Amino acid sequence: MAGRAGGKPSMPTVGKTAPAVNRTVADGRVGDAFSLPTGPVDLAAIKPNATPVGPKRKKQAAKLMEKISVELAGLQEKLYAEAMGGGRRSILLVLQGMDTSGKDGVVEHVVGLVNPAGVHLVSFKKPTKEELQHDFLWRIEKQLPPSGRVGVFNRSHYEDVLVVKVHKLVPQRELTARYPKINDFEARLAAQGVVVVKCFLHISKEAQTERLLARLDDKTKFWKYNPGDVAERALWPAYQDAYALALQRCNTESAPWFIVPGDRKWYRNWAVAALLLEVLRAMDPQYPAADFDPAAEQKRVAAS
């Protein structure tokens, strides 16, 4: 399913289990459904309103989300507890997509299903002056999830090969060098026990139009609207090309990309939740064994 880290990665094969490092996202039907197709990435050929697996209706998705939420919360608690017992594993959910693709929505409706105490959420904005004085991965390194946590990057290090590419903010040579740097960085995370789950929330320009207009039609949503979004919309083809290149060059065994259809919000939320559940099921976190005698402690408590 995933490519090979280092150099130009081979693309995933849908429906087959690859001997990937990150097997937690390679063994299940959901992961297969949203993995990148073999060959060059053509986003125009991937339908943003598709429902390739899972629910076909909003009500069906809602029922499935109720079931997912219970199991997801239980497994997240186990992962957190495992770390309390010395475990070193964690999850890093990377959310990328065009404006209005639903990154905030996923945070609210998917990440919101689990205990916030076990979540490390970061939203990356325009780099500060201090951050610009360092390598582009410097600020990312500082925000990696601790052991036992579900880390969530609402935008991420990929902004440095997306916005930077579209607006030509660095020389081409430097930009080209960033893709293998990202691959090496993510491979190191995987080796350290961080399961990297990268979701590209794929929406159509038409869906973005509807969502921007909806914000302008609701005064409670004005704060979410940025007049600069219109100027960025004019660069839609350039952003699609930048995403396609990043998806292709950074789709590796240790950190594969998943393309999540984003035009239907209910389907997008189900898809990401199902992916996370699949990841946690495969990780199979365990509660740590007690380092005391439970029976003896019961007696002590009763006698106290």
Side-chain angles (χ1 to χ4, degrees):
M1 185 185 77
R4 302 182 184 282
K8 184 178 180 180
S10 60
M11 299 307 294
T13 300
V14 176
K16 295 183 179 180
T17 300
V21 174
N22 191 353
R23 290 294 297 276
T24 57
V25 291
D27 294 337
R29 183 166 168 249
V30 177
D32 286 347
F34 301 122
S35 62
L36 282 170
T38 303
V41 177
D42 180 8
L43 290 176
I46 302 174
K47 295 181 178 180
N49 64 348
T51 55
V53 65
K56 302 301 180 183
R57 297 289 185 271
K58 187 175 182 178
K59 288 185 178 180
Q60 183 186 9
K63 291 181 179 179
L64 291 175
M65 286 291 278
E66 289 179 5
K67 296 180 179 179
I68 287 175
S69 65
V70 175
E71 187 176 0
L72 193 64
L75 287 169
Q76 184 233 12
E77 180 181 272
K78 283 187 176 182
L79 181 66
Y80 187 86
E82 182 180 271
M84 295 299 100
R88 299 178 60 84
R89 297 187 297 173
S90 61
I91 294 174
L92 175 58
L93 174 64
V94 174
L95 299 174
Q96 284 289 158
M98 298 291 289
D99 290 332
T100 77
S101 62
K103 296 177 289 294
D104 290 340
V106 169
V107 170
E108 179 181 356
H109 297 289
V110 178
V111 181
L113 296 176
V114 300
N115 189 332
V119 174
H120 182 71
L121 172 63
V122 185
S123 182
F124 288 98
K125 305 296 183 182
K126 182 179 179 180
T128 64
K129 290 183 179 180
E130 179 187 14
E131 289 169 345
L132 288 172
Q133 294 175 355
H134 299 269
D135 179 80
F136 74 101
L137 290 171
W138 180 76
R139 66 174 182 161
I140 307 299
E141 294 263 13
K142 295 172 63 177
Q143 295 293 346
L144 293 174
S147 299
R149 306 304 202 279
V150 175
V152 183
F153 282 178
N154 184 342
R155 298 188 187 272
S156 66
H157 42 298
Y158 281 95
E159 293 295 299
D160 290 285
V161 291
L162 294 168
V163 175
V164 168
K165 175 177 171 57
V166 171
H167 290 279
K168 298 179 173 58
L169 300 179
V170 299
Q172 181 61 41
R173 183 175 181 179
E174 180 179 343
L175 176 66
T176 301
R178 288 186 175 185
Y179 300 102
K181 282 186 177 181
I182 288 174
N183 290 341
D184 290 343
F185 167 66
E186 292 174 346
R188 175 163 54 83
L189 294 185
Q192 294 171 349
V194 182
V195 180
V196 184
V197 184
K198 301 185 299 191
C199 293
F200 170 57
L201 309 181
H202 184 38
I203 64 167
S204 63
K205 192 174 183 181
E206 292 73 20
Q208 188 189 64
T209 300
E210 293 178 2
R211 293 175 188 180
L212 288 175
L213 289 175
R215 290 179 180 179
L216 290 170
D217 196 41
D218 182 352
K219 63 181 181 180
T220 68
K221 302 294 184 182
F222 287 172
W223 65 275
K224 299 184 71 174
Y225 181 81
N226 182 349
D229 291 343
V230 178
E232 291 298 287
R233 273 171 60 79
L235 301 172
W236 184 278
Y239 271 108
Q240 295 298 290
D241 289 344
Y243 267 110
L245 188 60
L247 291 167
Q248 181 176 352
R249 291 191 177 182
C250 298
N251 187 61
T252 64
E253 290 183 355
S254 50
W257 271 106
F258 298 98
I259 299 185
V260 176
D263 275 12
R264 293 182 171 94
K265 296 178 181 180
W266 56 266
Y267 189 80
R268 172 203 71 207
N269 294 338
W270 171 84
V272 178
L275 274 170
L276 275 179
L277 179 58
E278 195 166 271
V279 168
L280 278 162
R281 280 175 175 171
M283 289 177 73
D284 191 25
Q286 299 294 316
Y287 288 115
D291 57 359
F292 52 83
D293 183 345
E297 291 303 306
Q298 285 180 337
K299 293 179 180 179
R300 291 183 66 230
V301 170
S304 64

